[in-house]
Amino acid sequence: MTKPKSPARKKASYTVAIDLGGTKLLVAVTDEQHRVLASTKVATDVAGGADAIVTQMVKGIRKATRKADIKLRHVSAIGACVPGPADPATGMVSRAVNLGWDTPIPLAAKLSRALNDVPVFLENDVNAGTYGEFVAGAAQGKQDVVGVFVGTGIGGGLVLSGALRRGPRFIAGEVGHFPLQADGLLCSCGNRGCVETLASRTALERNIQAALAEGQSSVITELMEARGKSRITSGLLQRAFQAQDPLVVSLVAEMAHYLGLLTATLVNILDPQLVVFGGGVVEKMGDNLLDLVRAAAYDRLMMQQDFHIKAASLGDYAGVIGVAALAREAFPAHD
Amino acid sequence: MTKPKSPARKKASYTVAIDLGGTKLLVAVTDEQHRVLASTKVATDVAGGADAIVTQMVKGIRKATRKADIKLRHVSAIGACVPGPADPATGMVSRAVNLGWDTPIPLAAKLSRALNDVPVFLENDVNAGTYGEFVAGAAQGKQDVVGVFVGTGIGGGLVLSGALRRGPRFIAGEVGHFPLQADGLLCSCGNRGCVETLASRTALERNIQAALAEGQSSVITELMEARGKSRITSGLLQRAFQAQDPLVVSLVAEMAHYLGLLTATLVNILDPQLVVFGGGVVEKMGDNLLDLVRAAAYDRLMMQQDFHIKAASLGDYAGVIGVAALAREAFPAHD
């Protein structure tokens, strides 16, 4: 007896999702259970403008569908998330600094046109990441969730009563710019002392480098030399923290303190059940970092019960899983 | 020809609303156009506990309906707003410090039972005030609004996509406790440097009194003496500000600076179209205060267009008008 060619799978509805970043684009084929069947990464060529990026996106999609062994006609919708304010209703990106876009781009229409009019759903990347954690990650089962992503900056997304909060101007969730030090460091937003200047991964690395330059000693120096690294990676931070390196422990505690203040503020304003923290440093350090954030946050909460802080669980895939789910909801398969 | 007794009005559906505060309760009879037909104020007797307060509420309702010349049977619903977290689904107040309630009270059920089972809708007072401004005040026509009420403390309410955001624990909107000075003054919440300690009416009055005690001169002293006042009323503040009194101008500017930071933070997180400011000092000072708030806020906004700051327009009636509208939506009249 010959094995049938799994017709059920071929008939199923797939969603392709793209997380479009300033340095790379991640393409994933997902199924109805939010599983990633195949994925691929392509370096982003920002210099060529929007049309060149659309061409790259199309190439990435063809590569990912080939890897997943499916045809484009089995794809019911495409989701794309972008590093800027995005309007899902019109499919417009209003601006995206990391992509060099300072005027509105009809990205969904361009991409759809290049792919036989497959419907394209557009979302902001941090919103999509938060939604991913909500549908399939650390925030599953909660209806009110704030996602905080700690990286070069600090970004955030809001799921309130089970729906993404985008805001009428699609800028909701900019949690990185609340002022904690009126006379603090200049922030990328033009103001001073935003939490992003105090508690981002960039801020932590800057503070460590400054202390080393001042002659303070740290196991970080040896770890970097031993591994031939010029940057302080999240992995090195975690090793130094576990070795109880006084400099790293004290600067991570400072970072956690500010993340705790941010968390408490978000909770007192929005009353979520959960704040999910993502980003490389959170992934590597996990509860070593989050226990300090919890301590700082709980100290300031108006109500402590029924509120939790957790690490994100989908890593780099949160965005594609989130925007795939949104695309699936917006364009349900008809078969 | 004798004039008919206006049967149309008698048959219409009325809502009675109560704003239950720690010192007084305001009762209003409202109609479907959010108009207040009659109102009355009763001093709150907190010492007698919840049942005594329910008795006072009933008395207030009977007095207000008499003033409006309607019978209780013409009242289709009662709305009550309270100074604490309230669950509209269960009609429970979880706590209300100003009323001396530290355990949950089934206020809606108690009040309904005392009034022939007229349905009672319960809401937090600041949420109700924000909703009042949304349905019938300064925020009419906007779908995304934050209300900020500046008084003894700083309270807030959120209307997002046309609906009140209460949160699963009914504590959303606590905008007064975001930390602006880590080592600042002790706040009622137990933490230090909350915006409430820097920019509430209490903070402004405290700062002025401290400056006067230190020997600084201000026209406020003369104004208080001339009017035989021992307190710095909002009216006196406005007069001193208009007279360009240096002390009052500088301390009002400081207050406005912090209210601006609060506003910018709320906008960057929630993306409302409008922040409505209420409370006695805002009512008296109006744009003298809000222009300073605007300047401080706009300086920090990620996106400035399509966002506005306005003074509330319903004054003390915002809460009753808001909770009446909510009660009407929850319990539509059947006739």
Side-chain angles (χ1 to χ4, degrees), chain A residues 51-63:
Chain A
D51 288 329
I53 282 182
V54 168
T55 305
Q56 286 174 282
M57 291 170 96
V58 171
K59 273 189 196 161
I61 290 166
R62 297 210 182 275
K63 194 168 157 195

Side-chain angles (χ1 to χ4, degrees), chain B residues 199-245:
Chain B
S200 62
R201 205 203 168 294
T202 313
L204 177 61
E205 194 168 343
R206 182 198 63 224
N207 290 343
I208 294 174
Q209 294 284 19
L212 295 179
E214 275 173 14
Q216 290 192 49
S217 66
S218 164
V219 70
I220 278 276
T221 320
E222 299 152 39
L223 290 171
M224 285 168 76
E225 278 168 13
R227 282 165 184 74
K229 305 234 186 217
S230 60
R231 275 198 57 233
I232 303 173
T233 62
S234 297
L236 290 191
L237 285 171
Q238 167 64 356
R239 289 186 70 89
F241 188 93
Q242 282 183 320
Q244 306 243 337
D245 179 69

